Amino acid sequence: MKSPGRKPGLFLFLSKMKKAIRVAIQGIKASFHEEAAFKFFGKDIQTIECESFKKTCEKLEKGEADFVVMAIENSIAGSLLPNYTLLREYGFAITGEVYLPIQLHLMALPGVKLEDVKYVTSHPIAIRQCIDFIDEFPHLKVVESADTAACAKKIRDEQLTDTVAIANTLAAELYGLNIIERRIESNKKNFTRFLILKSDKTEDNQEINKASICFQVGNHVGALSKVLNIFADYEVNLTKIQSMPVLGKRNEYYFYVDIEWKNMEKYDTAVRKALKYTVNFNIMGEYIKNDKV
């Protein structure tokens, strides 16, 4: 049986590797990026901790990692725009995707009670997603950090009895913290989409039904709609479109588009026709749709 959400070719590649595959993640162990990596590849992998998304790309470029797991959008916070720039600049191939439900818990050292706590710490986005809960405790001072799991680790390492962290279950388990309150996020339908990147664009096989593309169009009336109508005419569904300005060029934009299809021939035809009306057209990756949360 084929593993859902992965190309069979990619799955065979992974199964033939003698050593655990190396996956670069932004953040430390037990971060949401590691959780997403586990969901896609399974837990028999080596995660490489990186302090930034750019560092993950550098690891892949230098051959120090086999794949990168990169967050690209959140259902509440929106798109991670700088990551689109990294995708274009490094030219890596998108070879898969994974959706992860973001469940946030309040955690502390064993024995610590919420009424005795002075500080709550987490990533700024996680804090915003839990603001309704935090507002119920006005005595808590919010301390922002670069990584949710790092906050949990700091509490463990420094034995902070006056601080609670907002992070995931994985972080609580790894760093020996007790979960005081579960699911404190304001919106329970909160998920993040992650892309799986590899260094080359060689095809694993032809069993694909989703692609991420990037292009530019001329600055005149109907230029973008012409391209989008081509995909519609050939029954290729646009699931997302994101614009980004071209650095240093007025009124010029890159358009990043995710598309899905049921008929491969219609997709191929649509792409060929779209090429006539675009500039710098780039297929960043073709892969299997995997949107199960």
Side-chain angles (χ1 to χ4, degrees):
M1 181 179 292
K2 297 173 183 177
S3 179
R6 308 176 194 169
K7 294 181 183 181
L10 175 60
F11 179 73
L12 290 174
F13 166 73
L14 298 177
S15 64
K16 289 179 181 179
M17 294 188 71
K18 294 181 181 180
K19 297 182 180 180
I21 62 169
R22 303 164 300 170
V23 182
I25 60 169
Q26 187 274 326
I28 67 172
K29 291 186 180 300
S31 65
F32 284 110
H33 273 81
E34 185 178 58
E35 189 175 350
F38 286 162
K39 185 175 181 180
F40 188 85
F41 293 104
K43 291 194 174 183
D44 189 22
I45 61 175
Q46 176 190 350
T47 50
I48 301 173
E49 301 172 334
C50 299
E51 62 187 23
S52 67
F53 289 112
K54 184 174 177 60
K55 289 291 185 183
T56 66
C57 293
E58 291 175 356
K59 290 288 185 182
L60 186 58
E61 186 178 48
K62 294 176 181 177
E64 297 174 2
D66 302 305
F67 296 93
V68 164
V69 173
M70 178 182 285
I72 199 66
E73 63 180 296
N74 176 266
S75 58
I76 297 175
S79 297
L80 282 73
L81 298 181
N83 287 355
Y84 280 99
T85 300
L86 289 174
L87 288 173
R88 190 184 71 255
E89 289 180 347
Y90 280 89
F92 297 141
I94 301 170
T95 192
E97 64 178 352
V98 59
Y99 284 76
L100 185 71
I102 304 301
Q103 299 180 356
L104 297 166
H105 313 299
L106 198 70
M107 57 193 68
L109 288 171
V112 171
K113 297 180 180 179
L114 185 56
E115 54 264 30
D116 301 325
V117 171
K118 298 179 181 178
Y119 305 98
V120 56
T121 181
S122 193
H123 189 280
I125 293 179
I127 290 171
R128 288 201 300 271
Q129 292 171 352
C130 300
I131 197 64
D132 291 338
F133 177 86
I134 294 173
D135 283 346
E136 295 178 9
F137 303 91
H139 69 284
L140 291 179
K141 181 179 179 180
V142 175
V143 179
E144 295 184 349
S145 177
D147 186 84
T148 55
C151 294
K153 184 176 185 295
K154 183 177 181 179
I155 289 176
R156 192 277 310 270
D157 291 348
E158 300 182 15
Q159 290 293 291
L160 302 177
T161 58
D162 62 352
T163 305
V164 289
I166 297 173
N168 60 6
T169 304
L170 205 59
E173 294 173 351
L174 182 61
Y175 301 116
L177 303 184
N178 282 351
I179 294 179
I180 300 175
E181 294 283 347
R182 293 184 177 273
R183 302 299 305 275
I184 64 171
E185 67 272 15
S186 301
N187 190 325
K188 307 304 180 186
K189 296 181 180 180
N190 181 11
F191 62 86
T192 297
R193 178 184 176 220
F194 298 81
L195 299 178
I196 312 300
L197 311 178
K198 64 176 184 175
S199 58
D200 64 274
K201 291 191 175 182
T202 56
E203 286 298 324
D204 294 311
N205 63 52
Q206 296 301 311
E207 191 176 337
I208 53 178
N209 58 8
K210 188 170 183 177
S212 295
I213 62 177
C214 176
F215 57 84
Q216 294 174 256
V217 295
N219 185 21
H220 55 83
V221 175
L224 178 59
S225 65
K226 178 68 176 180
V227 177
L228 300 185
N229 284 333
I230 289 173
F231 288 113
D233 291 342
Y234 286 89
E235 300 177 356
V236 176
N237 185 37
L238 274 66
T239 59
K240 181 178 182 179
I241 181 167
Q242 179 71 56
S243 64
M244 286 278 289
V246 178
L247 188 63
K249 295 187 178 181
R250 185 181 178 186
N251 296 327
E252 292 190 27
Y253 296 86
Y254 291 107
F255 293 97
Y256 297 86
V257 180
D258 291 333
I259 52 180
E260 300 172 1
W261 61 89
K262 294 181 179 180
N263 186 302
M264 189 70 186
E265 289 186 7
K266 290 184 177 181
Y267 161 70
D268 287 336
T269 301
V271 167
R272 287 198 301 271
K273 289 185 175 294
L275 284 171
K276 300 177 182 179
Y277 302 96
T278 59
V279 179
N280 296 326
F281 190 99
N282 178 27
I283 299 177
M284 297 188 295
E286 297 174 326
Y287 47 98
I288 291 178
K289 174 183 176 180
N290 181 25
D291 61 356
K292 293 183 180 179
V293 178

